[in-house]
Amino acid sequence: MGSGLFLSALLLCLSAASLWTVRAEDPYLFFTWKVTYGTISPLGVPQQGILINGEFPGPNINSTTNNNVVVNIFNHLDEPFLIHWSGIQHRKNCWQDGLPGTTCPIPAGTNFTYHFQVKDQIGSFFYYPSTAMHRAAGGFGGLRINSRLLIPVPYADPEDDYTVLIGDWYTKSHTALKQLLDSGRTLARPDGILINGKNAKGDGSDEPLFTMKPEKTYKYRICNVGLRTSLNFRIQNHPMKLVEMEGSHVVQNDYQSLDVHVGQCFSVLVTANQEPRDYYMVASTRFMKTIHMSKAIIRYTNGKGPASSDLPEAPMGWAWSLNQFRTFRWNLTASAARPNPQGSFRYGSINITRTIKLVNSFGNVDGKLRYAINGVSHVETETPLKLAEYFKVPEKVFKYDTITDEGLPEGSTTITVAPNVLNATYRNFVEIIFENHEKRLQSWHLNGYSFFAVAIEPGKWSPEKRTNYNLLDAVSRHTIQVFPKSWAAILLTFDNCGMWNLRSELTENRYLGQQLYVSVLSPALSLRDEYNIPDRTLLCGVVKGMPLPKPYTI
Ligand SMILES: *[C@@H]1O[C@H](CO)[C@@H](O)[C@H](O)[C@H]1NC(C)=O
Ligand SMILES: *[C@@H]1O[C@H](CO)[C@@H](O)[C@H](O)[C@H]1NC(C)=O
Ligand SMILES: *[C@@H]1O[C@H](CO)[C@@H](O)[C@H](O)[C@H]1NC(C)=O
Ligand SMILES: *[C@@H]1O[C@H](CO)[C@@H](O)[C@H](O)[C@H]1NC(C)=O
Ligand SMILES: *[C@@H]1O[C@H](CO)[C@@H](O)[C@H](O)[C@H]1NC(C)=O
């Protein structure tokens, strides 16, 4: 080969690289967050809360597709701390995922800067602390990704855009709750429900949480940020038009109420076309003997008169919730940023290369309660799994594939406590079956991906059930509930390299081991597939002081 040819090939590479850099320079959003303790009394009982810049819940992040988000977090707590950006895919970049399996926690008294791009995503998301039981004290907030101006959304621009964070709440501190779990007990029932950190008294003294101008349409982004309780959400006299769910535009049906399971987010449109007065929005517990509820006031700007005390009732039983799930359909014609590769538009015709059946269980280990997946209860390691893998010393920290793909034999109660890491093959198209043999509802979340939620059905799964999958317009999302004694199936391509957490969104279950990590490595170890460890990444455990491995260069 002549050196001229070589040079032009090199120049071609260089110009391609600089083109990429130019395109990658999307707008930046900078935040500085001070995380502190502070006294809050959301249920009238003063307790220790976790505040961000003095706020509970934390500030909203308002971003647009492809924005670079830079958040410099100062940890003023007395414990290590991390924030996880739930539903943000961090393509090729699990370094920013903010979980104990990928990052060393930010030591008390220090700061750390997250830098991630909300690449090809739209929708309603939230962030929360992933360390200890910090989420029980606050530190969570809304994260929205608006569509770029050039890309039309399938509805008219709303008059305003409101974030509604609903969740169960405990008046015990996060340390007291952690002690309960550490001593082998359970969290028991929550003490109440909050809407954006509040609970209206209903005695006429409440300030409105939101206002609406008559005849205008508003977007409400509703996320369940709680610890364990499924909630039903509704607004007096106002149907909600569902437009988006966990990052996908959906077929726009009207709902009188929506079941929002832990970790899930919905965007709805609400039109102020009723008699001008106050109305309550209501969030109430589902599947519990004692019903807790919380309400908040929406005020018409021309309103005269208080909200009626006649609150709409919540549906009963979980069959209703299953039927509602079945009405959720992806809008195949809506244009929007989509994180999935082109192939997954026809996800129904891709051959499944691996079926992973995951069964949740619980039991006692050394007299203490543990929760497991396929009989393995995950423990967090001092060295984050991803760092051990990146520094090529996984054997010092964990073993791959401690569970099999076959689920759990009927009646098995054995639980092994160990780090739980699945080895997945890059770009495999897989089917994951969640089978819930228990009497309690489950909610599962996968980081780094959107998956097609193709079925939820009562009973046990078997291969013949595949004929019941929605292979046309299942919603591409990141969280799925599994009803008692039921199963759910999801399909996805493992096309995002990294170490990704799959977990029960029920905080007690997750904290006591019901989670695992999926390791997806590209055989090429190339920058095209995964980013190098960022500068200034915290190192801890066995990798502390180790020389950095040779970075990927191409
Ligand atoms: C959020 O960002 C969008 C796009 O930049 C902007 O139009 C909108 O006003 C912002 N909303 C808030 C509440 O800041
Ligand atoms: C800590 O904050 C300072 C700015 O106050 C910043 O220059 C520095 O990069 C931050 N450190 C980390 C590790 O993010
Ligand atoms: C789907 O999106 C298209 C394109 O924006 C829109 O015209 C249509 O009304 C939506 N369909 C449904 C059923 O919501
Ligand atoms: C998928 O599987 C079917 C049946 O086993 C086979 O005929 C087909 O060629 C496969 N398609 C691809 C794209 O591998
Ligand atoms: C993970 O799976 C890939 C094949 O998909 C294989 O090449 C690799 O050796 C496996 N790694 C481990 C640690 O088992």
Side-chain angles (χ1 to χ4, degrees), residues 183-411:
S183 68
R185 319 239 310 269
T186 75
L187 290 184
R189 304 209 189 295
D191 299 302
I193 304 299
L194 301 182
I195 300 180
N196 285 1
K198 298 190 182 76
N199 178 22
K201 292 193 196 68
D203 60 1
S205 70
D206 302 301
E207 287 300 311
L209 197 54
F210 302 109
T211 55
M212 299 203 287
K213 293 179 192 151
E215 300 311 324
K216 298 288 185 193
T217 297
Y218 292 78
K219 189 197 257 181
Y220 288 86
R221 301 172 184 260
I222 306 136
C223 297
N224 187 335
V225 300
L227 298 192
R228 58 174 271 170
T229 312
S230 295
L231 298 174
N232 181 267
F233 180 84
R234 52 210 186 268
I235 302 176
Q236 281 179 323
N237 298 37
H238 291 77
M240 302 176 281
K241 190 184 285 297
L242 184 66
V243 293
E244 179 263 336
M245 181 188 303
E246 293 161 32
S248 293
H249 287 130
V250 295
V251 168
Q252 299 176 7
N253 296 320
D254 284 332
Y255 294 89
Q256 297 303 323
S257 78
L258 283 167
D259 269 358
V260 191
H261 305 285
V262 181
Q264 300 184 345
C265 289
F266 297 91
S267 298
V268 300
L269 299 179
V270 177
T271 302
N273 55 7
Q274 298 296 305
E275 193 193 317
R277 56 188 299 172
D278 287 358
Y279 293 91
Y280 280 126
M281 56 168 61
V282 183
S284 65
T285 54
R286 293 278 274 135
F287 325 123
M288 271 171 53
K289 284 208 190 81
T290 334
I291 294 178
H292 281 294
M293 69 146 80
S294 177
K295 46 197 195 297
I297 290 176
I298 303 179
R299 179 160 294 169
Y300 276 42
T301 50
N302 62 339
K304 306 170 192 63
S308 156
S309 57
D310 192 10
L311 300 178
E313 290 209 357
M316 300 287 284
W318 58 263
W320 185 93
S321 202
L322 173 57
N323 285 335
Q324 181 163 77
F325 167 83
R326 289 182 173 148
T327 65
F328 298 149
R329 300 291 162 113
W330 202 18
N331 183 338
L332 299 174
T333 55
S335 49
R338 289 180 213 264
N340 308 83
Q342 290 303 311
S344 40
F345 279 107
R346 270 171 277 116
Y347 67 92
S349 57
I350 309 175
N351 285 347
I352 293 167
T353 44
R354 181 175 176 187
T355 298
I356 305 171
K357 188 167 143 193
L358 302 177
V359 177
N360 48 286
S361 66
F362 64 91
N364 274 321
V365 177
D366 299 333
K368 286 185 182 170
L369 178 63
R370 295 293 303 186
Y371 292 88
I373 300 174
N374 291 4
V376 173
S377 184
H378 175 78
V379 274
E380 273 161 13
T381 52
E382 195 198 344
T383 314
L385 306 165
K386 179 64 189 175
L387 287 177
E389 189 177 66
Y390 190 79
F391 280 81
K392 303 196 167 51
V393 288
E395 70 286 351
K396 291 193 176 165
V397 178
F398 67 91
K399 282 203 191 70
Y400 291 93
D401 298 325
T402 45
I403 60 169
T404 68
D405 288 356
E406 321 303 326
L408 192 64
E410 192 66 41

Side-chain angles (χ1 to χ4, degrees), residues 32 71-74 110-114 535-538:
T32 302
V71 195
N72 188 356
I73 296 189
F74 288 78
T110 70
N111 70 305
F112 175 77
T113 308
Y114 287 92
D535 293 343
R536 278 190 304 231
T537 299
L538 293 169

Side-chain angles (χ1 to χ4, degrees), residues 130-146:
S130 64
T131 32
M133 286 292 290
H134 294 142
R135 179 176 177 172
F140 49 75
L143 198 174
R144 61 176 76 147
I145 310 176
N146 302 296

Side-chain angles (χ1 to χ4, degrees), residues 18-31:
S18 56
L19 243 181
W20 184 84
T21 324
V22 170
R23 283 216 203 98
E25 276 312 280
D26 287 293
Y28 276 72
L29 303 176
F30 292 96
F31 302 91

